[in-house]
Amino acid sequence: MDPNLFFWKSEGQSFFSRFKIWVNILDPTSLLSSDAKIKKAHGLKLDDWDEEAVTLSLSSVHADSGDVLPLMLRPAAFLSVSAPLVVAGFLPHINVKYALLWQFFLQSYQTRFTLANRNTSSEKQSKKLSSKQLLLSAGTVCYATCAGSLPQIMIYKLGVSSEVIKAVLRTMLPIPLSAAVAFVSVYTVRSEESQTGIQVFDSNGNLVGLSKAAGQKAVKETALSRAALFGTSAAVPSLLITLLWRTRVIQKSSVLIAPLRYMSIVMGFGLMIPVSFSLFPQLGTIKKDNVEKNLQEAACDGLLYYHRGL
């Protein structure tokens, strides 16, 4: 078992402990560290890990391959790269083309981030993506781009003129739509884990084998956490703007709505990232009765462990 997973086993069992760890991991200053420094931190024994080594290793090294993650696909870069794309994706555009363009950028990055941080324990013989994985990823980006642009498509292609209906399509529909798109995207991109299985470990960190049941659980948990992230990020600005419209200040100065919307999207998204990442343990557990029969004997304490991915 990778040192990162041993750390999560000892320190990340409660939501609040995971949240505290993720706040440190998401510190963008870790992106300035060199690969050599990151590998050195990851190579240290757990007893020698200080706060800097923990942050560098957890934020920059993949827990299955032990390789340093690409700079822009590390958790610490997630907010910096995604926030502008999320803001642009949630804004009302003057035509469908701009909506599709920004959704394409957003969904492309989200798909690539999911691929880079997925569980790769069953793929150690080949670091290249399979043709099936590439097709699934490309299809996911296309589907998610169209689905994410659905409110704009409905307004302009159907010729919606009612301001009430426009408001509903722009403020209310994106909430369930964003959550659903995020869930389906993760589930599709990581579907191979459910089909081929992922590595599971006993309580001592010894490899037991591959489990499809664990793969299904890992993918479902990650998909739910991503749905919570984007669903809540879409809900915060909509609810905030609705409340602000009732105040006299906003009614007199409606020009404040646009900057307040931008700020609320960024703040909501930024606050939800560590929350969503903390919803489920990085080192997940699965009961022995829920795994394949040939793996049940290895669950001495009734549980087996797996890397959930991100």
Side-chain angles (χ1 to χ4, degrees), residues 120-127:
T120 61
S121 58
S122 64
E123 308 169 16
K124 287 194 173 181
Q125 299 302 320
S126 176
K127 294 185 179 181

Side-chain angles (χ1 to χ4, degrees), residues 93-169:
H93 295 282
I94 58 175
N95 58 47
V96 175
K97 291 181 180 179
Y98 289 114
L100 288 170
L101 180 64
W102 284 110
Q103 281 293 328
F104 175 77
F105 290 148
L106 173 61
Q107 301 305 333
S108 296
Y109 177 74
Q110 293 301 319
T111 298
R112 191 67 190 90
F113 181 85
T114 300
L115 281 172
N117 291 276
R118 72 193 188 283
N119 184 300
T120 61
S121 58
S122 64
E123 308 169 16
K124 287 194 173 181
Q125 299 302 320
S126 176
K127 294 185 179 181
K128 293 184 178 180
L129 294 175
S130 65
S131 56
K132 179 181 178 181
Q133 190 87 63
L134 290 172
L135 287 174
L136 284 173
S137 300
T140 298
V141 172
C142 294
Y143 147 77
T145 297
C146 294
S149 305
L150 188 59
Q152 302 289 342
I153 293 173
M154 294 176 68
I155 290 173
Y156 291 106
K157 295 302 181 182
L158 298 179
V160 177
S161 58
S162 171
E163 293 300 323
V164 175
I165 296 177
K166 283 183 179 179
V168 171
L169 291 176

